[in-house]
Amino acid sequence: MSAAPRDIPALIRVLTRVRLPGHKSATVERARKLLLIYCDTARSHGVPFADLVRQLASGMAALRMAGADLDRVFANPAGPAATAACGNGCAFCCILNGADGGLVSRAEAHQVAEALAPFAGQPDGRAWHPQACAALDPETKSCRIYESRPLLCRTYLSDSVAACESNAAGTPASGAGVVGSQGLYLAAMALARAALKGVATVETYALDRVAAAAVAGADPATALRAARHKPRALEDERARLSV
């Protein structure tokens, strides 16, 4: 077994060779390449090892990489955003009835909890639908923390409102789903988790439980404790998206 990395050059070497469960994936290899660039850039700019570890473990590094990828997707006039039927108040995608409750990183979970703090004690999305995200306004069905919403929410696009409604009811329908940036994000977090073994823990959280705890008045630390996933949730989600 290899020793846990204790500096950035060692972390780069570990990242180069770690393998994830399942078949070799182009998405995983792209995430690896971007993480190696991210780490090498941190090294060249004199970023302390501990700071880089925090960025990787919190999911912030993966979020920056996937966010830049998503910006490119949205900037493409012929991309999936061009035909999206998504609009304000169409919130079927905010019914979080999956087993993981909507997987988010520690950085995103903390951001959601902080953004929802001003709405503690107020009616939330569950007044509209029992499995809706608590970040929703129950009257307008719009997201009250839109600027702080996780990558999962930003990558979900649909060309059919009917498909979204069907999926929300538990009946699979084509036309709706996440774009590739979400798979890149999951792969980057999984690689970071494997590379940081023995150094730091890369945790994921259920978005629905973070939001529910925050609107119940819990502070961010308490909200995150209530929403922490079991370790296999990340790999389960990667497998579900086949990345």
Side-chain angles (χ1 to χ4, degrees):
M1 181 180 294
S2 301
R6 296 300 173 188
D7 56 28
I8 295 179
L11 177 59
I12 289 173
R13 290 194 295 273
V14 172
L15 266 173
T16 300
R17 64 176 182 264
V18 292
R19 295 293 179 263
L20 300 182
H23 64 280
K24 189 172 182 179
S25 159
T27 300
V28 169
E29 295 313 308
R30 184 173 176 228
R32 188 195 310 276
K33 179 179 179 180
L34 291 173
L35 279 173
L36 289 170
I37 292 171
Y38 191 97
C39 292
D40 191 55
T41 300
R43 180 198 56 77
S44 65
H45 283 80
V47 174
F49 178 64
D51 288 352
L52 177 59
V53 168
R54 279 191 289 270
Q55 292 172 30
L56 293 168
S58 70
M60 183 56 68
L63 186 61
R64 288 171 177 164
M65 290 162 37
D69 185 73
L70 185 61
D71 287 343
R72 287 191 290 272
V73 171
F74 279 16
N76 181 359
T83 58
C86 308
N88 190 31
C90 179
F92 293 115
C93 60
C94 302
I95 296 174
L96 300 172
N97 55 11
D100 63 16
L103 184 148
V104 295
S105 66
R106 186 187 310 158
E108 292 180 302
H110 195 275
Q111 181 172 277
V112 166
E114 284 196 326
L116 279 174
F119 301 100
Q122 298 182 22
D124 60 67
R126 292 168 296 176
W128 162 59
H129 188 286
Q131 291 178 303
C133 180
L136 285 179
D137 182 304
E139 297 298 325
T140 65
K141 296 192 288 292
S142 59
C143 182
R144 295 179 294 185
I145 59 166
Y146 189 78
E147 296 303 321
S148 299
R149 71 197 190 285
L151 187 79
L152 172 64
C153 307
R154 292 189 281 132
T155 56
Y156 195 94
L157 288 176
S158 174
D159 58 15
S160 168
V161 174
C164 291
E165 185 173 7
S166 180
N167 288 330
T171 303
S174 60
V178 295
V179 299
S181 304
Q182 180 68 9
L184 183 69
Y185 179 55
L186 296 174
M189 285 203 296
L191 285 168
R193 173 182 284 179
L196 292 175
K197 188 174 182 179
V199 179
T201 304
V202 178
E203 296 172 329
T204 64
Y205 300 80
L207 173 59
D208 60 351
R209 297 202 295 272
V210 172
V215 298
D219 61 86
T222 301
L224 266 64
R225 280 197 298 272
R228 186 182 294 119
H229 278 147
K230 292 181 179 180
R232 66 169 293 165
L234 177 56
E235 284 307 320
D236 286 348
E237 185 66 358
R238 285 187 60 243
R240 188 179 72 83
L241 292 181
S242 300
V243 295

